[in-house]
Amino acid sequence: MSHILIVALVVAFLFRKPLGRLLAKQFPDRQKRQQVLGIVIAGFLLVIGMRLLALFW
């Protein structure tokens, strides 16, 4: 599972320009775009945090 997250983060970093354009088309409002990005980042952090908690439990 953690390998999938790492690969997803690397792919998102490599394709950040096209992903940014895609998000700009999907959400023309800058505030809404920032909100969507914040939710995605929070989701990744939540999953990573839960995996670390389970690892050290």
Side-chain angles (χ1 to χ4, degrees):
M1 177 69 179
S2 62
H3 298 329
I4 295 170
L5 285 176
I6 292 169
V7 169
L9 287 173
V10 169
V11 168
F13 179 76
L14 291 175
F15 294 104
R16 65 190 180 275
K17 296 273 188 194
L19 286 174
R21 281 190 225 115
L22 183 71
L23 273 177
K25 285 182 185 176
Q26 190 74 21
F27 302 102
D29 182 21
R30 181 177 172 87
Q31 184 178 1
K32 182 70 173 174
R33 189 167 53 237
Q34 295 294 331
Q35 184 180 3
V36 169
L37 281 174
I39 290 171
V40 169
I41 291 170
F44 270 114
L45 291 176
L46 200 74
V47 169
I48 291 170
M50 285 191 305
R51 289 188 55 79
L52 284 174
L53 184 68
L55 179 69
F56 293 119
W57 188 262

